[in-house]
Amino acid sequence: MNSPANITDPLVLFMPSGKRGRFPVGTPVLDAARQLGVYVESVCGGRATCGRCQIEVQEGNFAKHKIVSSNDHISPKGPKEERYERVRGLPERRRLSCSAQILGDLVIDVPQDTVINAQTIRKDADTRVIARDTAIRMCYVEIEEPDMHKPLGDLDRLKIALMKDWGFKNLEFDFYLLPQVQGILRKGNWAATAAIHKDADSDIARVIALWPGLKNEAYGLACDIGSTTIAMHLVSLLSGRVAASSGTSNPQIRFGEDLMSRVSYVMMNPDGREGMTVAVREAISSLVDKVCAEGNVQRNDILDSVFVGNPIMHHLFLGIDPTELGGAPFALAVSGAVRIKASDIGLKLNQGARLYMLPCIAGHVGADAAAVTLSEGPHRQDEMMLIVDVGTNAEIVLGNRARVVAASSPTGPAFEGAEISGGQRAAPGAIERVRIDPDTLEPKYRVIGSELWSDEPGFLDSVQATGVTGICGSGIIEIVAEMYLAGIISEDGVVDGSLAARSPRVVANGRTFSYVLKEGEPKITITQTDVRAIQLAKAALYAGTKLLMEKQNTEHVDRIHFAGAFGSFIDPKYAMVLGLIPDCDLDKVSAVGNAAGAGARMALLNRGYRREIEETVSQIEKIETALESKFQEHFVYAMALPNKVDPFPKLSAAVKLPPRKTVSEDGVAGDAAPRRRSREGHAARRGRE
């Protein structure tokens, strides 16, 4: 470290919440977490006896945050911590945050297995019925016993029985089964059940597992590897029933909140790729344990799996260096569908279990977008459908049966709470709904874990266990939209400082103004910088959508689907007020939940869907926003709420938009010119200029 005379207080970043702050040397990590509103459980009052306040220090150069984190930047274990470790045991790399003190810059991971109020992962399976034509068939046969006059081997007689009873002519066997065949057939008294894998359009089928006697259970996994969360479904291959679902935070968050940060981490740390690959595979293995326990299923009964994810998650899961995706031409190492054994990547299921990954559409439009496309089916209908998966890198698909185009847009992590002063991920205690009275400018809000609004009797009791800790993505969208509808911010996103005379909620913050959403501890304030972060994110998404609309030669969309866990909790009205999506009938804007997971289930349960999406992806036109000259123009116009030039007549009919006004950067309000209502008017104005 530098000498105390020259150094500012150490910077500490907590993951997965993304909250950060500077603290004096010697501050206990637990105290720092509490000051930032990061939930670290402790029931012993800091006596180092309960062990619930465990944390991990992440080592490495985290360039995006300008942090070099090291175990040397945290105090050594003291007597209390050593006693706890000796008596109770402490997992490798874990520290007790009540005893450990900050000595330098740190990235601290709060392990999710120690957190009761862990991030809320809302990725349950939908209830759609999927016609089954799985790549795995369970085939029971009775085999002719050995005969000295017929010298055929046991394996060959098994093949004959499978051909006779099930019609398989070109059968191959996984090598690991060869030493087991004789024992299995004799244990089953010359009856056996073979799991036969046949996926691609080929005459060859392969026996991947074998059991004595009748085996009437077989399961598969459908998994969506998101950059923020991972969702998994355990599905019966025989009935199509979802036996269990579970989700968890993606542990790669500690290497970088957004995708490009993770690519940068790989570039700057020699072991970065391997570390992230190990982290995501371990998280997936833990999820397998969870769904197996919930569904009362043995790992050995899992025979097939389908995985989807954005291109960087796709590459890291497969152990591929994603560096080439960090810059033009954004080259994928593998773009087509991947078919391997699950054991090839160390996933411990049945020894013969298979793994299928859907194809990627483009360098930043991945297998998850392909799965969403398969699930929602724009290529199967006449309506012009827009599908938006809002994440750190938004994926956008637009089209109908005539033509489908796709793109990605770099929205960054703002919608997920990162880079927002009071932001956090969706967890109990996070504000998820906001309303502002336009007359008094007083807010009310709801938090995850309570059904009551903050102005209703009993609210404080209902949140006593969690407190009100921050504001998550859906709440961030609503607070900015509500601030606009209440006139607190102008269409250009500037907080109107003149309102400070009307309400104590509008407060000076240096040269700009902020809005106080919640008083008390922690105090939650929406700053001018927060509003700008949301504007930048939503403008990137809208500009990407506009490019696709131009490619489709259309000025409107018939239907909008929000995909992903986050999309499930976005209110369509506020998304449109914000200008996140184009004008559309509000009753035709809907959340479709974890559509990527649904697409993965479809591919798991029906081989035909695998062929369908492989063919569809080959025909989707990929638009690279970074190379489109009009992207910047669309982006600038989209910074306004809801947009500087595009009319929103359907929104205006449903919501009373405020009169236009401009506010200078120092918060001084003024009148604004009327909103241009048509593309023609805009073009004419540009012609006059």
Side-chain angles (χ1 to χ4, degrees):
M1 292 191 304
N2 298 330
S3 66
N6 299 323
I7 193 171
T8 58
D9 288 337
L11 177 62
V12 182
L13 171 67
F14 285 90
M15 288 298 186
S17 69
K19 293 189 174 183
R20 74 203 73 196
R22 293 191 177 275
F23 300 92
V25 169
T27 302
V29 174
L30 180 60
D31 289 354
R34 286 174 170 169
Q35 289 180 45
L36 289 175
V38 174
Y39 188 86
V40 178
E41 188 180 3
S42 175
V43 298
C44 68
R47 296 181 179 87
T49 58
C50 72
R52 294 179 180 269
C53 67
Q54 295 176 26
I55 52 92
E56 291 181 9
V57 174
Q58 300 304 320
E59 293 194 281
N61 184 350
F62 298 81
K64 177 183 175 182
H65 307 294
K66 298 182 175 61
I67 294 176
V68 176
S69 179
S70 166
N71 274 312
D72 294 336
H73 296 175
I74 198 166
S75 63
K77 293 175 183 174
K80 290 183 179 180
E81 200 171 3
E82 288 179 340
R83 183 186 69 242
Y84 179 90
E85 185 175 28
R86 186 172 60 253
V87 175
R88 301 277 297 276
L90 199 59
E92 186 178 352
R93 298 176 58 213
R94 293 280 177 91
R95 297 293 306 274
L96 298 182
S97 62
C98 64
S99 297
Q101 297 178 350
I102 298 165
L103 302 182
D105 291 354
L106 288 168
V107 175
I108 298 288
D109 189 33
V110 181
Q112 296 301 289
D113 60 3
T114 69
V115 179
I116 292 176
N117 290 352
Q119 180 179 351
T120 304
I121 309 296
R122 317 186 211 192
K123 289 196 172 184
D124 294 333
D126 61 20
T127 56
R128 74 179 70 193
V129 177
I130 301 169
R132 287 183 302 107
D133 179 19
T134 61
I136 303 291
R137 293 185 69 180
M138 300 291 282
C139 301
Y140 172 80
V141 289
E142 296 177 352
I143 301 101
E144 186 178 343
E145 295 186 34
D147 188 328
M148 290 188 64
H149 302 289
K150 297 178 181 179
L152 273 181
D154 290 350
L155 181 70
D156 296 288
R157 282 181 284 105
L158 174 58
K159 284 184 177 180
I160 289 172
L162 288 166
M163 180 179 67
K164 178 183 175 182
D165 293 352
W166 295 92
F168 289 105
K169 296 180 180 179
N170 297 306
L171 269 181
E172 296 181 353
F173 279 69
D174 274 7
F175 178 76
Y176 87 94
L177 288 171
L178 301 188
Q180 302 179 25
V181 168
Q182 289 192 314
I184 291 171
L185 296 185
R186 283 158 180 77
K187 184 177 181 181
N189 196 24
W190 305 105
T193 302
I196 298 178
H197 178 264
K198 188 175 185 294
D199 179 12
D201 296 327
S202 166
D203 291 335
I204 297 175
R206 180 174 288 273
V207 178
I208 65 169
L210 190 67
W211 294 268
L214 176 65
K215 174 73 171 178
N216 59 4
E217 289 183 325
Y219 291 88
L221 300 173
C223 185
D224 171 22
I225 308 173
S227 56
T228 304
T229 59
I230 305 171
M232 180 178 288
H233 307 303
L234 176 66
V235 184
S236 168
L237 297 177
L238 303 181
S239 69
R241 175 182 63 91
V242 177
S245 297
S246 189
T248 187
S249 297
N250 187 330
Q252 293 176 347
I253 289 173
R254 64 176 176 257
F255 300 99
E257 293 160 341
D258 58 64
L259 296 173
M260 287 301 101
S261 295
R262 296 179 204 179
V263 174
S264 297
Y265 188 85
V266 172
M267 293 176 176
M268 300 183 68
N269 294 273
D271 300 327
R273 195 282 305 158
E274 182 181 359
M276 279 191 270
T277 295
V278 169
V280 74
R281 289 181 182 177
E282 287 179 347
I284 286 168
S285 182
S286 296
L287 277 183
V288 174
D289 287 337
K290 287 184 180 180
V291 294
C292 283
E294 182 183 332
N296 195 26
V297 170
Q298 300 298 314
R299 276 184 180 247
N300 195 55
D301 290 336
I302 301 175
L303 302 174
D304 202 6
S305 59
V306 174
F307 285 82
V308 301
N310 64 59
I312 291 172
M313 295 301 96
H314 171 283
H315 278 35
L316 288 171
F317 174 61
L318 292 175
I320 299 171
D321 189 328
T323 300
E324 292 297 329
L325 293 169
F330 311 107
L332 290 155
V334 180
S335 58
V338 175
R339 299 176 183 86
I340 58 176
K341 294 182 69 173
S343 59
D344 290 342
I345 60 165
L347 187 56
K348 294 181 180 179
L349 309 174
N350 184 286
Q351 191 171 346
R354 267 31 186 192
L355 187 151
Y356 175 85
M357 289 199 81
L358 272 67
C360 290
I361 296 175
H364 284 297
V365 188
D368 53 349
V372 172
T373 301
L374 176 62
S375 171
E376 300 311 301
H379 55 289
R380 304 186 201 109
Q381 61 180 21
D382 295 321
E383 282 189 315
M384 185 62 69
M385 177 188 287
L386 173 66
I387 304 172
V388 180
D389 191 344
V390 183
T392 55
N393 195 65
E395 293 170 316
I396 318 164
V397 177
L398 177 67
N400 54 24
R401 70 175 72 252
R403 184 187 184 202
V404 179
V405 294
S408 67
S409 223
T411 52
F415 288 133
E416 295 175 341
E419 299 179 351
I420 302 297
S421 57
Q424 68 166 86
R425 303 194 189 281
I431 294 173
E432 63 173 346
R433 294 280 178 259
V434 180
R435 300 291 182 268
I436 297 176
D437 187 307
D439 296 321
T440 65
L441 305 187
E442 283 297 303
K444 64 178 181 179
Y445 50 82
R446 275 176 49 182
V447 302
I448 297 174
S450 172
E451 295 299 316
L452 299 176
W453 287 89
S454 59
D455 62 345
E456 292 183 300
F459 170 78
L460 291 178
D461 292 336
S462 72
V463 298
Q464 188 172 8
T466 62
V468 181
T469 55
I471 183 166
C472 68
S474 60
I476 291 165
I477 286 176
E478 292 195 8
I479 182 64
V480 176
E482 279 280 314
M483 287 170 70
Y484 170 62
L485 292 176
I488 297 170
I489 59 175
S490 68
E491 69 163 13
D492 292 322
V494 180
V495 180
D496 186 351
S498 67
L499 296 177
R502 255 181 67 190
S503 170
R505 295 281 176 180
V506 179
V507 297
N509 185 4
R511 295 184 60 188
T512 61
F513 289 81
S514 301
Y515 179 79
V516 179
L517 175 59
K518 174 190 171 292
E519 295 281 9
E521 189 60 39
K523 185 176 183 179
I524 300 173
T525 302
I526 306 302
T527 69
Q528 184 65 71
T529 301
D530 295 337
V531 176
R532 281 285 180 262
I534 294 301
Q535 286 180 277
L536 290 168
K538 74 97 174 179
L541 177 53
Y542 190 90
T545 301
K546 284 290 291 184
L547 284 178
L548 295 190
M549 292 172 68
E550 289 181 348
K551 296 296 180 182
Q552 289 281 28
N553 195 29
T554 183
E555 294 190 1
H556 74 281
V557 296
D558 299 311
R559 191 173 295 276
I560 299 175
H561 286 183
F562 277 116
F566 179 40
S568 299
F569 295 90
I570 296 176
D571 186 312
K573 179 181 79 172
Y574 289 106
M576 203 173 293
V577 169
L578 194 66
L580 191 67
I581 51 176
D583 194 49
C584 184
D585 287 332
L586 284 172
D587 60 0
K588 292 192 174 183
V589 183
S590 60
V592 293
N594 184 19
R601 279 203 303 128
M602 292 169 69
L604 177 68
L605 290 173
N606 194 310
R607 296 175 298 169
Y609 285 130
R610 300 185 186 188
R611 306 294 85 76
E612 176 184 331
I613 196 57
E614 289 166 7
E615 174 65 21
T616 300
V617 165
S618 71
Q619 296 178 359
I620 291 176
E621 297 177 47
K622 300 87 177 175
I623 309 302
E624 182 50 65
T625 56
L627 303 179
E628 293 289 330
S629 59
K630 292 198 69 176
F631 180 84
Q632 189 62 30
E633 178 183 340
H634 292 316
F635 179 87
V636 170
Y637 291 146
M639 283 289 288
L641 281 71
N643 193 279
K644 201 70 164 180
V645 297
D646 286 351
F648 278 71
K650 293 174 181 176
L651 174 65
S652 299
V655 179
K656 183 181 179 182
L657 297 178
R660 298 186 69 206
K661 68 177 178 180
T662 60
V663 179
S664 63
E665 290 297 328
D666 59 0
V668 178
D671 295 329
R675 184 187 302 276
R676 295 184 288 275
R677 288 293 177 182
S678 70
R679 185 178 299 272
E680 292 78 6
H682 172 52
R685 183 178 180 275
R686 290 188 65 189
R688 288 194 300 272
E689 292 173 346

